[in-house]
Amino acid sequence: PHGTSVVRPINHPDISIYPNPAHHLVHIDSENILLHDIRLYDIFGNLLLLTSDNRIDFSQYPAGVYILEINQQIRHKIIKQ
């Protein structure tokens, strides 16, 4: 189901995801939202990571496009170089 979803850049004033494109670490900062369910998917919709950590280490993944889902509500495309 995630592989066919349309992913638009987040437009949420309380969440910041950087850097993007990424090489190693991606940081997720939030002022007012509890980050309790962070999921990383590949472009085919396969779940790669489930965490509550606000840092994701991309060094183990090949270059490509990934989908970051926060609290099963907010989705954002991450490019790994």
Side-chain angles (χ1 to χ4, degrees):
H2 292 283
T4 59
S5 299
V6 174
V7 178
R8 294 180 178 88
I10 62 169
N11 193 14
H12 201 289
D14 295 327
I15 294 180
S16 177
I17 299 172
Y18 61 93
N20 190 14
H23 292 282
H24 300 291
L25 284 178
V26 170
H27 301 272
I28 307 164
D29 290 339
S30 172
E31 298 208 8
N32 300 318
I33 297 175
L34 178 63
L35 303 175
H36 61 85
D37 185 349
I38 299 171
R39 298 172 189 224
L40 181 67
Y41 295 92
D42 65 16
I43 199 66
F44 302 108
N46 299 308
L47 180 64
L48 303 175
L49 178 69
L50 174 59
T51 185
S52 59
D53 193 353
N54 69 337
R55 294 183 311 159
I56 296 178
D57 183 0
F58 272 81
S59 63
Q60 63 183 332
Y61 302 114
V65 177
Y66 297 86
I67 308 302
L68 188 63
E69 184 179 80
I70 301 170
N71 298 347
Q72 297 182 346
Q73 296 177 356
I74 301 165
R75 291 190 184 147
H76 189 71
K77 180 170 64 173
I78 301 288
I79 298 171
K80 201 280 183 156
Q81 294 182 331

